[in-house]
């Protein structure tokens, strides 16, 4: 019985270690779950970028989020947020993001659709048409 419990604990420990290495890239941005909803945070600025977002996609350098804040492009290497507001963007989030842009213009930019490259536009359309909570 003790041997089986030790094996189970060992397997769980290895799984936790591997999953933490896979998802943590040393970035200041964190995706977490709180009260059943996924949140996107900037740990350095202590700023919630998105809460209860609609959809999310990421690669080694960028995080793309579409939700109440609009379409958010996070450049993890340059620590830069770019935000596109659209007709679905929540007014409270617009005000919050606009305030953050005024406080930290080197960190956050409000952009227009024409400011995005083709890849970003394609991701925007994909995430905009994805319904439900974050896709994992």
């Amino acid at each position: 019985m003790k041997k089986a419990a030790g094996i189970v604990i060992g397997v769980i420990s290895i799984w936790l270690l591997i999953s933490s290495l896979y998802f943590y890239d040393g970035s200041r941005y964190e995706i977490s779950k709180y009260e059943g909803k996924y949140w996107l945070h900037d740990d350095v600025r202590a700023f919630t970028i998105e809460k209860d977002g609609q959809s999310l996609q990421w690669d080694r350098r960028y995080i793309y989020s579409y939700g109440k804040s609009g379409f958010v492009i996070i450049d993890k290497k340059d620590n830069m947020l770019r935000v596109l507001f659209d007709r679905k963007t929540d007014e409270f989030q617009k005000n919050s993001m606009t305030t953050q842009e005024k406080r930290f213009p080197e960190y956050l930019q409000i952009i227009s659709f024409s400011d995005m490259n083709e890849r970003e536009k394609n991701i925007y359309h994909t995430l905009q048409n994805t319904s439900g909570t974050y896709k994992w």
Side-chain angles (χ1 to χ4, degrees):
M1 187 70 168
K2 288 182 181 182
K3 185 176 181 179
I7 291 172
V8 170
I9 290 172
V11 168
I12 291 172
S13 299
I14 291 170
W15 179 81
L16 288 172
L17 176 64
I18 291 171
S19 64
S20 68
L21 291 174
Y22 178 75
F23 288 109
Y24 181 70
D25 60 1
S27 160
R28 65 194 270 171
Y29 304 100
E30 176 185 300
I31 301 165
S32 62
K33 190 171 184 177
Y34 177 71
E35 293 184 355
K37 299 177 181 180
Y38 291 100
W39 294 54
L40 182 57
H41 305 275
D42 178 339
D43 288 340
V44 172
R45 296 239 189 254
F47 175 61
T48 299
I49 300 163
E50 182 68 80
K51 58 182 179 180
D52 192 25
Q54 178 182 339
S55 53
L56 180 73
Q57 181 177 327
W58 70 88
D59 58 33
R60 296 293 277 163
R61 181 165 179 173
Y62 297 98
I63 300 173
Y64 305 93
S65 174
Y66 182 83
K68 293 179 183 180
S69 298
F71 180 59
V72 178
I73 303 167
I74 299 171
D75 185 333
K76 296 186 290 186
K77 180 180 177 193
D78 293 338
N79 292 318
M80 184 69 174
L81 294 177
R82 296 170 54 222
V83 181
L84 170 72
F85 297 140
D86 65 9
R87 60 183 168 75
K88 293 183 179 181
T89 305
D90 182 82
E91 285 301 317
F92 177 79
Q93 290 301 102
K94 279 184 185 178
N95 293 336
S96 175
M97 287 291 188
T98 303
T99 300
Q100 290 294 321
E101 180 189 33
K102 289 176 185 173
R103 290 179 62 203
F104 307 107
E106 73 287 350
Y107 167 70
L108 190 143
Q109 294 176 343
I110 307 298
I111 61 171
S112 67
F113 192 77
S114 61
D115 294 328
M116 296 190 302
N117 62 38
E118 287 304 311
R119 182 172 187 268
E120 293 166 341
K121 289 176 183 177
N122 289 336
I123 293 171
Y124 166 76
H125 289 299
T126 299
L127 295 181
Q128 183 185 38
N129 295 318
T130 303
S131 60
T133 57
Y134 286 132
K135 303 299 178 191
W136 296 95

